[in-house]
Amino acid sequence: MGTIDISYYNLFIGLLLLAIPFFYLWKFKTGLLKPALIGTVRMIIQLFFIGMYLKYLFLWNNPWINFLWVIIMIFVAGQTALVRTQLKHRILLIPITVGFLCSVVLVGLYFIGIVLQLDNIFSAQYFIPIFGILMGNMLSSNVIALNTYYSGLKREQQLYRYLLGNGATRQEAQAPFIRQAIIKSFSPLIANISVMGLVALPGTMIGQILGGSSPNVAIKYQMMIMVITFTASMLSLMITISLASRRSFDAYGKLLEVTKEPRK
């Protein structure tokens, strides 16, 4: 049995559930009601647009078009990271773009080509969803980690200089701040992995079961999704921090002004 379709009328009925969180955002004057409304409208428009685009993307199944879509996703993710971290373009744009591109290509193609052993590794049915999942997770982990990394450096510049003054290399002096960035970014993911299947049934697994796949197949796919998102997120973060750090300090090891000036 295939997935049960949701009519547009029933979809509207389902969207009415948003009245509950919206009410409490308004009642407690959180200031989040307007962003939540705008975000919801954007989500609906974007998903309908992507749905129409993916319909033709799967129909064409052209490797060049598929890869172009991945490049677009990387560009959008890079711009989103710049906005969320408030880091300057010259500091983060190239590092995070390279980090995303290298990680998603290496890990994504490893999964599709070696684990799944598809004859056509650019098949839209697998290529687009897998790369999309990787990009979403890499973006979230990178934003949290980069904010933690640079805020730690700005807050504890004396510790960084002390380590340099006592013979540590730049990599060694940066290690405590990278460690904190990794802990802050990956602790939720590790906690999520540890309770998966007991406390929570993940979306990928549920989606496959609703689509008609057997639970055994869905479980194996979910295991691999968690493995590749964990790996790609860590790899992209390490590449991004390594490249960004080279642009963040002067010749004497002093941290430059890396964040954008707040708008007045």
Side-chain angles (χ1 to χ4, degrees), residues 36-239:
L37 287 168
I38 294 174
T40 301
V41 172
R42 286 188 57 180
M43 175 195 71
I44 293 171
I45 294 173
Q46 289 167 179
L47 286 178
F48 272 120
F49 172 76
I50 294 300
M52 290 187 291
Y53 180 80
L54 289 179
K55 176 182 177 181
Y56 291 101
L57 202 65
F58 288 0
L59 181 64
W60 296 327
N61 202 21
N62 184 292
W64 294 106
I65 296 177
N66 295 345
F67 200 77
L68 175 62
W69 179 247
V70 171
I71 297 299
I72 293 173
M73 286 195 295
I74 291 173
F75 174 77
V76 173
Q79 295 299 317
T80 303
L82 286 169
V83 171
R84 292 186 182 179
T85 59
Q86 291 297 303
L87 293 173
K88 294 181 178 178
H89 277 67
R90 67 178 181 83
I91 298 293
L92 189 61
L93 183 59
I94 294 178
I96 201 165
T97 301
V98 173
F100 281 172
L101 180 61
C102 292
S103 303
V104 78
V105 169
L106 289 174
V107 178
L109 292 184
Y110 179 91
F111 175 61
I112 295 173
I114 296 178
V115 178
L116 297 182
Q117 297 185 347
L118 293 182
D119 293 331
N120 178 14
I121 60 175
F122 295 104
S123 173
Q125 181 183 356
Y126 292 90
F127 189 80
I128 300 300
I130 294 300
F131 278 48
I133 290 172
L134 291 177
M135 288 301 306
N137 283 273
M138 286 192 295
L139 175 61
S140 300
S141 61
N142 271 259
V143 167
I144 295 172
L146 288 170
N147 278 329
T148 304
Y149 173 69
Y150 280 107
S151 63
L153 280 171
K154 293 176 82 172
R155 185 175 59 252
E156 301 182 45
Q157 288 191 53
Q158 289 184 340
L159 172 60
Y160 177 74
R161 294 178 185 177
Y162 171 80
L163 294 173
L164 286 178
N166 282 271
T169 64
R170 289 192 182 183
Q171 290 76 15
E172 292 170 339
Q174 292 169 17
F177 305 101
I178 296 176
R179 183 184 306 114
Q180 288 302 313
I182 293 174
I183 292 171
K184 186 73 175 291
S185 179
F186 286 93
S187 290
L189 176 60
I190 294 172
N192 188 30
I193 290 174
S194 66
V195 299
M196 189 161 292
L198 293 176
V199 176
L201 290 178
T204 301
M205 180 177 168
I206 293 175
Q208 285 198 305
I209 293 174
L210 291 176
S213 298
S214 71
N216 286 336
V217 172
I219 286 169
K220 286 183 280 189
Y221 266 90
Q222 185 59 51
M223 287 181 186
M224 284 309 308
I225 291 298
M226 295 308 300
V227 169
I228 63 176
T229 54
F230 197 172
T231 303
S233 296
M234 183 64 75
L235 182 59
S236 66
L237 175 60
M238 291 298 99
I239 294 174

